[in-house]
């Protein structure tokens, strides 16, 4: 029974309809749970909606804890249940649930502080990682490409600091402190261009032009790395699906009786 529950609440297999329904339902609940965050003032409907969603989240959390020994196999099953609350996704689940516990039970005086941390409910978005195959693939791509992405991130930080140092010393009148220069370099790197801080001298503008050209190249690097990794991951998924289908076909061939002519 517990094994079947684990199969349902985990990412659905292609042939598991009940698990697909569970994934779709949880994705819908996650989206609905974010609706109260879109309004400054709560209404009775939003209040009830948040209660219902958090009860579902608690139920999902308890089911995952109940089947933790299938998620984290170990010689001692008790260790699996002890380990689960400290896993990354379990912590995300807990952070998404805690802010609403004051709504469910106002007697928890310690948790009333979490009313000031309403934004913690945004962590519910991260729960979608479990139920979306596309997000899972992107997560795998990021893990496989972490070395390249860290290198690009280091290059971006170095670019920001060097640009900030150059512009801060070349045009000190336009920046009150070094933090403003870092802010300007970050905005320039991302090509956002707020326009609230900008160089006014010829030297400063020349530095901004050179930094912009270099920044475009840095911004383009992560996109290329992630795209290439995504295509490789899709190809890997396709090959695995083909292997599974071939294995199922072999199993069916073993079970099906041979025609009478072949047996003779």
């Amino acid at each position: 029974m517990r094994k079947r529950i684990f199969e349902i609440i985990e990412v659905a297999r292609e042939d598991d309809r009940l698990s697909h329904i569970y994934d779709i339902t949880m994705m819908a609940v996650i989206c609905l749970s974010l609706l109260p965050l879109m309004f400054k003032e709560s209404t009775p409907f939003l209040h009830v909606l948040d209660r219902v969603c958090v009860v579902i989240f608690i139920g999902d959390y308890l089911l995952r804890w109940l089947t933790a020994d299938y998620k984290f196999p170990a010689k001692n099953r008790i260790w699996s249940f002890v380990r689960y609350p400290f896993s990354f996704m379990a912590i995300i689940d807990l952070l998404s649930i805690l802010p609403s516990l004051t709504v469910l039970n106002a007697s928890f005086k310690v948790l009333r502080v979490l009313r000031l941390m309403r934004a913690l409910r945004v962590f519910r978005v991260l729960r979608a990682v479990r139920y979306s195959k596309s997000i899972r693939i992107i997560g795998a791509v990021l893990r496989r490409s972490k070395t390249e992405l860290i290198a690009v991130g280091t290059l971006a930080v170095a670019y920001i600091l060097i640009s900030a140092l150059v512009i801060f010393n070349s045009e000190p009148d336009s920046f009150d402190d070094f933090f403003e220069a870092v802010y300007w370099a970050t905005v320039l790197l991302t090509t956002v261009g707020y326009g609230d801080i900008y160089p006014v001298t010829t030297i400063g503008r020349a530095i901004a032009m050179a930094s912009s050209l270099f920044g475009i190249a840095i911004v383009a690097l992560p996109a290329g790395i992630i795209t290439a990794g995504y295509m490789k991951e899709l190809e890997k998924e396709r090959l695995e699906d083909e292997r599974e289908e071939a294995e199922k076909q072999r199993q069916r061939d073993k079970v099906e009786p041979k025609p009478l002519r072949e047996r003779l």
Side-chain angles (χ1 to χ4, degrees):
M1 181 65 180
R2 290 194 310 110
K3 185 177 180 180
R4 180 56 184 152
I5 292 174
F6 173 75
E7 292 174 350
I8 292 173
I9 63 179
E10 282 298 300
V11 178
R13 300 193 307 269
E14 295 296 331
D15 57 345
D16 196 335
R17 184 178 180 184
L18 190 58
S19 185
H20 273 293
I21 294 174
Y22 185 85
D23 291 351
I24 294 172
T25 301
M26 290 304 299
M27 287 290 287
V29 173
I30 290 170
C31 293
L32 289 174
S33 70
L34 297 175
L35 191 61
L37 297 179
M38 300 177 184
F39 299 89
K40 287 186 176 181
E41 297 182 359
S42 179
T43 64
F45 170 75
L46 296 176
H47 184 71
V48 172
L49 178 64
D50 186 71
R51 279 191 173 189
V52 172
C53 291
V54 78
V55 167
I56 294 174
F57 290 153
I58 291 174
D60 179 75
Y61 183 88
L62 294 177
L63 287 176
R64 293 183 183 279
W65 201 349
L66 180 67
T67 58
D69 53 329
Y70 293 102
K71 182 69 173 179
F72 304 109
K75 293 182 179 180
N76 188 348
R77 294 172 60 185
I78 297 177
W79 171 246
S80 300
F81 297 108
V82 173
R83 177 185 174 185
Y84 176 76
F86 301 98
S87 63
F88 176 75
M89 288 307 302
I91 293 173
I92 292 298
D93 291 344
L94 197 60
L95 288 175
S96 67
I97 291 170
L98 284 179
S100 295
L101 288 181
T102 53
V103 178
L104 292 175
N105 191 345
S107 64
F108 286 109
K109 295 182 180 180
V110 176
L111 295 179
R112 288 179 183 175
V113 179
L114 293 175
R115 290 182 179 178
L116 301 176
M117 304 170 66
R118 186 168 179 261
L120 277 179
R121 298 182 188 180
V122 177
F123 278 102
R124 293 172 183 176
V125 175
L126 299 179
R127 297 176 65 99
V129 173
R130 283 200 182 102
Y131 312 105
S132 174
K133 186 176 181 180
S134 298
I135 296 177
R136 182 169 56 85
I137 291 175
I138 293 174
V141 171
L142 294 177
R143 286 193 298 271
R144 292 178 182 275
S145 306
K146 63 180 179 181
T147 303
E148 295 86 348
L149 292 174
I150 290 174
V152 173
T154 303
L155 183 62
V157 172
Y159 156 84
I160 290 172
L161 293 177
I162 293 172
S163 296
L165 283 171
V166 172
I167 197 69
F168 184 65
N169 287 276
S170 300
E171 193 171 329
D173 294 336
S174 298
F175 303 93
D176 294 333
D177 50 42
F178 182 68
F179 176 77
E180 286 195 354
V182 172
Y183 166 77
W184 170 85
T186 304
V187 171
L188 193 68
L189 171 65
T190 56
T191 67
V192 174
Y194 289 123
D196 51 345
I197 302 175
Y198 52 89
V200 294
T201 64
T202 302
I203 296 177
R205 290 174 178 174
I207 294 171
M209 292 169 60
S211 298
S212 298
L213 294 174
F214 188 66
I216 292 173
I218 295 178
V219 170
L221 285 175
I225 293 171
I226 293 174
T227 301
Y230 189 76
M231 296 304 296
K232 290 180 180 178
E233 197 66 26
L234 287 178
E235 181 65 18
K236 179 184 175 183
E237 291 278 336
R238 185 184 66 80
L239 293 174
E240 288 180 356
D241 291 340
E242 289 180 354
R243 280 196 295 268
E244 289 180 3
E245 186 62 31
E247 182 63 27
K248 290 179 182 178
Q249 186 61 43
R250 283 194 293 269
Q251 294 296 330
R252 286 194 293 265
D253 292 340
K254 291 180 181 179
V255 174
E256 292 178 358
K258 294 182 179 180
L260 180 61
R261 182 180 300 176
E262 292 184 10
R263 284 182 287 178
L264 294 175

